[in-house]
């Protein structure tokens, strides 16, 4: 499985300049980066594809797991992320 690396927030070009300057928004993005970094590689792949708007069937095909497993993993990942403080 390919390694997943994170770019610094400043490198994300499509962020609206107004949002990037918003401290609350920036804090939330940094929190999300930190929370995702704590996931295992498969969880990172699943959540990052989902955040990119890839549907369950495509995620399943890309990773090589059943669609229902993608749904279960996303449910558990979302729970992990919501529990992370």
């Amino acid at each position: 499985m390919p390694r997943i690396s994170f770019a610094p927030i400043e490198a994300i070009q499509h962020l609206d300049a107004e949002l990037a300057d918003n401290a609350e928004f920036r804090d939330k993005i940094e929190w999300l980066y930190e929370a995702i970094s704590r996931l295992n590689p498969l969880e990172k792949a699943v959540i990052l594809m989902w955040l990119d708007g890839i549907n369950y069937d495509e995620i399943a095909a890309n990773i090589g797991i059943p669609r229902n497993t993608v749904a279960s993993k996303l449910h558990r990942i979302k729970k992990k992320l919501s529990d992370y403080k």
Side-chain angles (χ1 to χ4, degrees), residues 27-47:
D27 288 345
K28 287 178 182 180
I29 294 295
E30 288 175 0
W31 173 88
L32 183 59
Y33 265 60
E34 175 63 29
I36 290 173
S37 74
R38 294 175 180 265
L39 299 173
N40 70 48
L42 180 60
E43 292 171 331
K44 285 178 188 175
V46 170
I47 195 67

Side-chain angles (χ1 to χ4, degrees), residues 6-16 19-23 25-34:
F6 289 90
I9 292 173
E10 293 79 18
I12 303 173
Q13 297 176 4
H14 66 275
L15 284 179
D16 183 272
L19 288 176
D21 290 338
N22 181 310
F25 177 77
R26 187 176 181 84
D27 288 345
K28 287 178 182 180
I29 294 295
E30 288 175 0
W31 173 88
L32 183 59
Y33 265 60
E34 175 63 29

Side-chain angles (χ1 to χ4, degrees), residues 37 66 77 82:
S37 74
I77 293 166
S82 69

Side-chain angles (χ1 to χ4, degrees), residues 11 20-21 31-32 39-40 49 51 53 55-57 67 70 77:
D21 290 338
W31 173 88
L32 183 59
L39 299 173
N40 70 48
M49 282 190 260
L51 288 170
N55 67 45
Y56 287 23
D57 292 322
R67 183 198 185 283
V70 171
I77 293 166

